[in-house]
Structure formats: C-alpha cells, structure tokens
C-alpha cells in the first residue's frame, strides 16, 4: 500500500515536471520570437528617423555641393528605396544603401569648409551620427535575439516544440563588406 | 513520535513549496538567457537587461546602517540567539531596507534605475557578532543607540547577537533586468531622447532583478536553485511522505 502511494507520488511529480517544463519551453519560444519582432521594430523606428533627416540634410548641403550632384542623387535614391521597401530584408538592404550614401556625403563635405562651419549642417551631422550609433547597437541586439532564438529552436528538447509550432530559422541583419569599409573619396 | 509527525508534515509542505518554486527559478533563468544585454545608449522601452557601474543620481547617497559607507541601496538584519528548553535558534529582531534611485553607466551612456520592488541579490558586505565578554563594534553600538536597541540582557551580560549588512556602493558593477519606461524625473521634451528619457523599474512585465554578480554567475546561481528545487524538493516530499505513512502505520499498530 505504502509503496503504491510512493510510486503514485513519484509519477505525479514527474508528470508535473514534464508538463511545467513543456509550458516553460512553449512560452519561452513565443517570447523569443516576439523579442525578434520587437527588436526589429526598435531598429525600424531609428531607420525612419534617419530617413526623415535626409531631406533636411540635402536641402542644407545642396547650396554648397553644386558639383556633387551624383553624391546627393545617391542619398535621395537610397531614401526612396527605403520608403518603398516592405519586407525586413528590403528595409535592411536599403538602410545599408542609405548608410553608405551618407558616409560618402559626409566624407565629401570635408572638402567644403564653409559647409563644415554651417551650424545647421553640424547639428544634422551630429544627429545622424548619433542615430547611426544607435542603429548599430540595436542591430547587434537584434542579431543577439535572433541568435538566441536559433540556438533554442535547434536545441533539444526545444526543437520538438519548435517543430510542432512550425518555427523556422531566422536571418541575421548582416552588414555588407562594402558598408563596413571606409569610404575613400577622390577629388 | 508526535514531534516526528509534525516535522514530517512541515518537511512535506516545504518540499512541495521548494518543488513548485523551482519552476519560478527555471522561468527566470530562461528569461535572463533569452534577453540579450542592451547597450545603454540604445535602450528601448520594455523588458531590458543592462550591466554597468553604479553612479549616484544628482549626487545623492545614503549611508550604510553599521559602517556608514556611501551607498544607494542597503539592507541589514539584527538577529538574537535564543534558547528555550532543548531548542535554540537565531531570531530576527530587526531588519530594514533603504534605497534611492541611481544611474547604471556603461561605455555608451547611463540610465536611471529605481530599485523599488526589485528582487535584489547582493553579497553580504559585513557581519559582526556580540556575545559573552564580547561587545559589538562601535559602529554597531551607535546604530543600536540610535534605534533604541540594546545588546545587553540581564545584569548587563551581552546577548548573543549577530549584525549583518549588505549594500550597493557607487562604483559597484551591477546586473539589472527590469522594465524600461518613462523617466518621471525628466519633463517631456526637455532632453534630446535616448536613455535620459528612460528609467528602469518594476513595470508590467513584473520581473525586476538586481544583482552584483555578472550575468554568467547569476545564471549559474539560478541553475543550482533549479536543480536543488526539483531534486531537493522532490526528495524531501518523498522522504517526509514515507515518514508520515510509516507514522500512521505505527499509530494504527499501537492502537490495535
């Protein structure tokens, strides 16, 4: 009789452990997935803020950089591409274009002392540089979130639940070699 | 024999508590593992994890209760060793917590933290003892005088007491996981944004944890709690249950 009760209690404890663990895994995977969406939304906000600064920047520099039509055109085209982007991948690609175009613009601006001394330009440059740094931090955070998610969904026993929930692998927000490289401008 | 039954029932209750508490620790462990550490400069609203150095907010600091060191958070306990019959144990005669908001600073910026409602796990900084022919240190005596407490008993013989304090000092490295929300100390639109607009506290996520250990050690501690909770709690349940059953058989046999 006693042995029967003890065995029953052991079985109940194991069942509770099993059920509780499954619930924690399930909720954990949902949280991880939501973390990715949220961290992407947090990047998106900054990308939009940076894009919103571009018309002001172009307006500010075009008087000084009359002979740099190509540079300004690249910035404007990149902005248009971002505004037309719908998916996460398209937005990531166009945001890299904007980053590259802005880098070139600021590098070219070095050659225009009057522009560099313009207070409005200095403010915009500071604001955009600040946004770039925040975007870089949040991209790192996003990639960490994606990495945590991918590791979890490929680890046992989480992969069993992830399979049932049809949670697929997610892509990192990678920076291209071109964007990582220093901008060289020849005059 | 009656005592054995009472202890077994208490053990059974504690085992059940420990077993179910382990789920909470497991949930916390996974939550900490799942959330990456944010750089303070780019912190976003919601549940966040940061690690950095403690800096006083507006230069304000508290004093630790016994050693009067500058701090932003402190807690203390005063325990007395009491005996009754064959049993003796430590009884807490007074304890307290005090805190003020403070900044956490990393290489990218600083953010305000209000520790109200946080689960704070910090190492003990000081422990003092007093007893027969041994007075507590002067700092502790001063605190006792201020609080209207006495370390002496009958005929001015010292009671056996211990005094413990833990605190968070400016410059300490702290791990914080909590909800980033609006900073109530900043008026809307008076700062450029970023982390200055934000304060970490106990928000709707309800998980708010502060530790003076880095994340890896926090996770290590939680791992042991989970293992201890499941296995220790489970074994305690089985052992106490066996004792209760054994006792009930013994009782029915004795009655017969």
């Amino acid at each position: 009789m006693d042995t029967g009760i003890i065995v029953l209690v052991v079985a109940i404890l194991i069942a509770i452990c099993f059920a509780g663990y499954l619930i924690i895994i399930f909720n954990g995977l949902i949280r991880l997935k939501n973390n990715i969406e949220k961290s992407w939304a947090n990047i998106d906000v900054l990308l939009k803020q940076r894009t919103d600064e571009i018309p002001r920047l172009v307006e500010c520099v075009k008087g000084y950089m009359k002979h740099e039509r190509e540079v300004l055109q690249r910035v404007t085209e990149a902005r248009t591409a971002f505004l037309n982007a719908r998916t996460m991948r398209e937005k990531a690609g166009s945001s890299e274009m904007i980053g590259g175009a802005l880098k070139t613009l600021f590098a070219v601006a070095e050659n225009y002392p009057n522009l560099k001394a313009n207070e409005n330009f200095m403010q915009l440059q500071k604001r955009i540089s600040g946004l770039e740094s925040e975007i870089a931090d949040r991209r790192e955070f996003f990639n960490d979130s994606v990495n945590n998610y991918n590791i979890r969904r490929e680890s046992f026993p989480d992969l069993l639940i992830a399979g049932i929930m049809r949670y697929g692998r997610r892509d990192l927000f990678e920076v291209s070699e071109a964007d990582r490289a220093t901008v060289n401008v020849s005059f | 024999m009656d005592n054995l039954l009472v202890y077994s029932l208490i053990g059974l209750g504690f085992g059940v508590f420990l077993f179910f508490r382990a789920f909470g620790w497991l949930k916390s462990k996974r939550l900490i593992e799942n959330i990456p550490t944010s750089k303070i400069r780019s912190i976003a609203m919601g549940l966040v994890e940061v690690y950095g150095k403690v800096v006083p907010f507006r230069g304000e600091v508290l004093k630790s209760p016994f050693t009067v060191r500058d701090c932003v958070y402190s807690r203390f306990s005063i325990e007395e060793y009491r005996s009754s019959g064959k049993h003796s144990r430590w009884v807490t005669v007074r304890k307290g917590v005090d805190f003020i908001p403070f900044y956490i600073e990393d290489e990218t910026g600083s953010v305000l933290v209000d520790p109200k409602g946080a689960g704070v796990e910090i190492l003990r900084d000081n422990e003092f003892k007093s007893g027969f022919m041994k007075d507590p240190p002067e700092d502790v005596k001063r605190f006792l005088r201020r609080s209207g407490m006495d370390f002496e008993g009958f005929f001015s013989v010292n009671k056996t007491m211990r005094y413990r304090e833990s605190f968070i000092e400016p410059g300490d490295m702290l791990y914080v996981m909590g909800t980033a929300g609006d900073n109530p100390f900043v008026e809307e639109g008076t700062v450029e944004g970023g982390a200055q607009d934000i304060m970490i506290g106990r928000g709707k996520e309800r998980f708010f944890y502060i530790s003076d250990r880095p994340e890896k050690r926090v996770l290590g501690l939680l791992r042991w709690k989970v293992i201890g909770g499941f296995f220790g709690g489970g074994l305690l349940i089985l052992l106490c249950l066996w004792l209760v059953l054994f006792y009930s058989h013994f009782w029915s046999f004795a009655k017969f």
Side-chain angles (χ1 to χ4, degrees):
Chain A
M1 178 65 183
D2 283 3
T3 320
I5 292 174
I6 302 267
V7 168
L8 182 69
V9 170
V10 170
I12 290 171
L13 288 180
I14 291 171
I16 291 171
C17 258
F18 186 69
Y21 196 50
L22 284 186
I23 292 168
I24 288 172
I25 289 176
F26 181 81
N27 289 344
L29 283 168
I30 289 176
R31 180 177 278 277
L32 279 167
K33 187 171 170 278
N34 289 342
N35 279 352
I36 295 175
E37 310 300 338
K38 193 183 139 202
S39 48
W40 172 254
N42 287 335
I43 296 177
D44 203 25
V45 167
L46 294 180
L47 293 178
K48 278 189 187 122
Q49 284 179 11
R50 186 180 64 177
T51 311
D52 290 345
E53 297 295 346
I54 290 173
R56 288 173 61 201
L57 182 69
V58 170
E59 195 60 38
C60 175
V61 302
K62 74 178 179 193
Y64 297 90
M65 297 166 76
K66 281 176 187 153
H67 307 292
E68 310 291 350
R69 186 187 278 177
E70 201 184 315
V71 175
L72 295 179
Q73 202 172 336
R74 257 191 75 195
V75 174
T76 315
E77 277 170 11
R79 179 178 180 267
T80 311
F82 178 81
L83 292 175
N84 292 332
R86 290 285 164 264
T87 63
M88 200 185 279
R89 195 182 289 266
E90 285 170 0
K91 282 186 179 180
S94 55
S95 101
E96 276 184 50
M97 274 171 67
I98 292 179
L102 286 173
K103 256 188 195 173
T104 313
L105 189 145
F106 288 130
V108 171
E110 292 289 315
N111 210 33
Y112 295 86
N114 289 343
L115 173 61
K116 272 176 70 190
N118 182 307
E119 201 173 316
N120 196 17
F121 175 75
M122 284 194 300
Q123 271 180 2
L124 280 167
Q125 191 175 20
K126 193 180 158 203
R127 163 107 174 114
I128 290 170
S129 298
L131 284 170
E132 296 275 1
S133 304
E134 284 188 47
I135 289 167
D137 291 346
R138 288 195 181 174
R139 183 163 53 202
E140 196 181 317
F141 186 87
F142 173 83
N143 285 343
D144 285 343
S145 301
V146 170
N147 200 31
N148 283 347
Y149 166 84
N150 285 339
I151 288 171
R152 275 263 187 254
R153 68 166 285 282
E154 286 165 18
S155 315
F156 184 82
D158 299 48
L159 68 94
L160 302 174
I161 308 278
I164 294 167
M165 293 162 84
R166 295 179 192 280
Y167 276 11
R169 196 180 163 78
R170 298 294 288 261
D171 293 331
L172 298 171
F173 184 170
E174 282 167 324
V175 185
S176 67
E177 285 304 316
D179 195 41
R180 213 175 284 148
T182 328
V183 181
N184 295 313
V185 187
S186 51
F187 300 102
Chain B
M1 200 62 188
D2 281 345
N3 274 354
L4 184 66
L5 179 67
V6 172
Y7 288 137
S8 303
L9 288 172
I10 291 171
L12 190 65
F14 184 66
V16 170
F17 167 78
L18 209 58
F19 186 77
F20 283 99
R21 187 69 190 83
F23 281 109
W25 287 322
L26 179 62
K27 204 175 143 192
S28 303
K29 180 177 163 283
R30 288 185 68 106
L31 190 62
I32 291 173
E33 282 170 343
N34 290 348
I35 307 255
T37 306
S38 294
K39 286 201 173 130
I40 289 173
R41 172 177 58 193
S42 60
I43 216 164
M45 297 289 188
L47 194 63
V48 291
E49 175 185 284
V50 292
Y51 183 70
K53 191 173 74 176
V54 174
V55 175
F57 170 52
R58 293 173 179 165
E60 289 169 22
V61 285
L62 299 168
K63 294 289 178 187
S64 65
F66 303 138
T67 49
V68 203
R69 298 268 295 266
D70 285 352
C71 62
V72 291
Y73 176 97
S74 73
R75 66 172 174 230
F76 73 94
S77 70
I78 301 174
E79 293 170 305
E80 193 182 322
Y81 196 68
R82 286 182 187 163
S83 306
S84 67
K86 281 189 285 182
H87 305 286
S88 47
R89 63 200 169 101
W90 287 101
V91 177
T92 305
V93 289
R94 185 165 298 186
K95 62 180 180 178
V97 181
D98 202 5
F99 53 80
I100 49 171
F102 55 86
Y103 285 116
I104 285 287
E105 186 182 272
D106 70 4
E107 69 279 7
T108 64
S110 59
V111 66
L112 196 63
V113 177
D114 181 5
K116 191 179 174 185
V120 180
E121 261 183 1
I122 48 173
L123 294 171
R124 190 186 311 141
D125 289 283
N126 293 304
E127 181 177 288
F128 306 105
K129 284 179 180 167
S130 67
F132 185 64
M133 303 284 278
K134 188 188 175 198
D135 280 4
E138 273 309 311
D139 291 334
V140 176
K141 277 187 189 171
R142 258 196 300 275
F143 177 83
L144 293 175
R145 271 198 296 275
R146 274 203 311 272
S147 318
M149 294 178 73
D150 207 348
F151 63 92
E152 292 172 331
F154 291 118
F155 307 112
S156 297
V157 175
N158 287 354
K159 297 177 202 168
T160 305
M161 294 174 85
R162 67 181 177 200
Y163 316 88
R164 290 171 164 174
E165 69 173 3
S166 314
F167 45 83
I168 299 170
E169 290 178 283
D172 281 355
M173 294 302 285
L174 224 54
Y175 169 88
V176 179
M177 188 163 181
T179 307
D182 284 328
N183 182 350
F185 297 97
V186 168
E187 272 182 52
E188 196 76 30
T190 55
V191 289
E192 266 185 39
Q196 294 172 67
D197 257 347
I198 290 172
M199 185 174 82
I200 299 176
R202 186 188 166 91
K204 61 180 179 187
E205 294 273 1
R206 303 184 71 82
F207 187 82
F208 189 19
Y209 181 78
I210 295 175
S211 175
D212 55 0
R213 298 172 179 91
E215 186 181 357
K216 263 191 176 173
R217 289 185 59 197
V218 168
L219 288 172
L221 190 72
L222 279 169
R223 188 175 305 120
W224 282 113
K225 282 184 176 178
V226 171
I227 293 169
F230 280 131
F231 288 97
L235 283 175
L236 199 60
I237 291 171
L238 292 178
L239 180 71
C240 293
L241 190 69
W242 181 78
L243 283 172
V244 170
L245 292 171
F246 174 77
Y247 180 81
S248 63
H249 276 278
F250 180 82
W251 182 246
S252 55
F253 182 74
K255 251 174 83 176
F256 177 73

